[in-house]
Amino acid sequence: MKGLAAGIGVVFLSPILIAGTGMMLASSADAVQSSGSFSSCLSGIDSDKVAEQVTKILDGASGKDVHVEGLDLPAEQVPNAATIVAAGLSLDVPKKGQIIALATAMQESRLRNLNYGDRDSLGLFQQRPSQGWGNAEQIRDPTYASEQFYKHLLKVSGWQQMTVTQAAQAVQKSGLPDAYAQWENLATALQEAIARTFPGGGNDADQAKQPSTGTSGCAPSKDGSSFGRIPEGSVPKGYSIPKDADPKARKAIAWAMQQLGTHYQWGGSCTNSHGPDPMGRCDCSSLMQQAYAHAGVTLTRTTYTQVNEGKAVSPAQLEPGDLIFSRGSAARPEHVGMYMGGGLVIEAPRTTKPVRITPIKDWTILAARRVL
């Protein structure tokens, strides 16, 4: 890691305000639920192998031209950030998880490996020996601390659909739960800049072509990634509406799928999406409204009102037919789609785009509602 620190050039700039902290969280009961789904594979992780893999990644880095604005102590912060990213790669944690880890460390320690903190908190993530994170020497090891953070993150069911703030708070249980949001943009830029210095370039598509270097042995969750690239307006090969879905949800999904490939129209009624009148086409909320109308369920017209329909559900407990909301805030979301099961969502995305099916891994869910 010392070699990496010497080899990376970073622009020194004063701290800048990265983002506002006004992001709203869903309630902890609805948005954050721990699960044992990863317990068996995580319990088998060999920390020595993780450390070995991290060393290999760092030794193979070519980081000579990293320039990241917003770091006040780059000579110390960049090597620590590199270790966090390398640990994520060694555990097959996707890019979003690495960004969550970086944002957390920025908030907790400003990416410094501290030997002090609140009560017995230590290290990059201010983990506490008294809370079972390890002993003081272990926590002060950036590789160990990063591995422990990722282990706890992966146990949070549905973390990939949470905002960075929600996921970080699910792990840290901070007294300032909104504070992580301000570091998201910086963490994203830092992850991308550092990952590009690693073998494989840090590009998600490039990494997908290579054999996994990870040590976790965990099977991917049902996030839609197994379907691969989904051409717009098409049904991914192998998908069928789940037979155990609510009959009304099945009808709504089936009707929505009949609109695949039709062009988005803001304010469109979705009453004749295949017709010549653009205003008969669908926008995101009218697609939901009309799909459920054909199943005998009445919904209101806009995302702002649909987010209050039915009952709230956790992003980790979605069922086919549930409405999921993104963009904007949890109280006033700007986009809605329908969960189809199998890690897929049907949506009318935006102007110039057709009604399409997308993997849920591409969604940051601010709220979810069950309308049946």
Side-chain angles (χ1 to χ4, degrees):
M1 188 163 69
K2 292 180 181 178
L4 177 70
I8 294 181
V10 184
V11 174
F12 181 95
L13 294 173
S14 299
I16 57 175
L17 182 62
I18 300 300
T21 58
M23 183 177 295
M24 298 185 66
L25 298 177
S27 71
S28 58
D30 287 338
V32 178
Q33 293 188 8
S34 294
S35 168
S37 60
F38 284 94
S39 297
S40 59
C41 61
L42 290 175
S43 62
I45 291 176
D46 186 327
S47 294
D48 290 338
K49 288 184 178 180
V50 172
E52 180 182 351
Q53 185 63 43
V54 169
T55 299
K56 287 181 179 179
I57 294 172
L58 295 178
D59 286 348
S62 60
K64 296 181 180 179
D65 300 307
V66 174
H67 301 280
V68 180
E69 297 182 358
L71 299 176
D72 52 350
L73 296 169
E76 181 178 4
Q77 292 167 317
V78 170
N80 288 331
T83 299
I84 291 171
V85 175
L89 291 173
S90 76
L91 291 166
D92 289 330
V93 177
K95 177 180 176 179
K96 181 172 181 179
Q98 297 167 34
I99 291 170
I100 293 167
L102 289 170
T104 301
M106 284 298 303
Q107 171 59 27
E108 299 294 348
S109 70
R110 297 303 187 269
L111 274 173
R112 296 170 296 156
N113 192 15
L114 302 178
N115 61 3
Y116 61 88
D118 178 49
R119 288 170 282 191
D120 59 336
S121 299
L122 296 167
L124 291 172
F125 298 93
Q126 290 291 280
Q127 295 157 339
R128 298 178 60 191
S130 64
Q131 299 298 312
W133 288 92
N135 61 43
E137 182 180 0
Q138 289 174 319
I139 290 172
R140 287 265 295 148
D141 177 347
T143 299
Y144 174 89
S146 300
E147 177 192 332
Q148 289 301 307
F149 178 85
Y150 286 127
K151 282 184 175 180
H152 284 73
L153 175 66
L154 294 176
K155 289 179 181 178
V156 177
S157 184
W159 70 267
Q160 286 180 281
Q161 283 73 60
M162 295 178 185
T163 63
V164 168
T165 298
Q166 288 171 341
Q169 174 62 5
V171 175
Q172 299 294 105
K173 299 176 175 62
S174 169
L176 300 171
D178 295 342
Y180 303 103
Q182 65 186 308
W183 304 109
E184 181 174 353
N185 287 358
L186 177 56
T188 300
L190 195 54
Q191 190 279 338
E192 292 174 350
I194 289 173
R196 282 196 295 269
T197 72
F198 292 164
N203 180 280
D204 288 343
D206 290 342
Q207 290 177 23
K209 298 175 184 176
Q210 300 174 358
S212 172
T213 58
T215 57
S216 69
C218 296
S221 59
K222 293 182 179 179
D223 60 3
S225 58
S226 61
F227 291 99
R229 180 181 174 276
I230 305 171
E232 289 188 338
S234 69
V235 179
K237 184 178 180 180
Y239 172 78
S240 60
I241 302 173
K243 293 181 179 180
D244 59 350
D246 184 287
K248 290 184 178 180
R250 287 176 57 84
K251 287 183 179 180
I253 294 170
W255 189 89
M257 290 173 66
Q258 293 173 16
Q259 318 315 310
L260 285 170
T262 62
H263 278 86
Y264 176 97
Q265 175 62 50
W266 186 84
S269 64
C270 203
T271 53
N272 188 12
S273 64
H274 295 275
D277 183 0
M279 297 310 295
R281 299 173 189 165
C282 310
D283 64 15
C284 65
S285 54
S286 65
L287 177 64
M288 303 299 106
Q289 182 188 48
Q290 292 303 316
Y292 265 112
H294 284 78
V297 177
T298 300
L299 298 182
T300 52
R301 175 62 182 85
T302 70
T303 58
Y304 306 139
T305 55
Q306 288 177 359
V307 75
N308 298 313
E309 302 274 6
K311 64 179 181 180
V313 294
S314 165
Q317 303 295 328
L318 293 176
E319 294 180 0
D322 287 346
L323 305 185
I324 61 174
F325 298 84
S326 66
R327 306 175 198 163
S329 69
R332 194 172 175 80
E334 298 174 359
H335 187 56
V336 61
M338 184 184 298
Y339 184 62
M340 304 171 64
L344 298 175
V345 182
I346 190 165
E347 62 169 347
R350 61 182 182 274
T351 302
T352 76
K353 292 290 185 178
V355 174
R356 66 185 183 184
I357 294 172
T358 54
I360 199 169
K361 69 180 181 64
D362 293 344
W363 285 67
T364 296
I365 299 178
L366 298 174
R369 308 292 294 191
R370 186 162 298 150
V371 298
L372 296 175

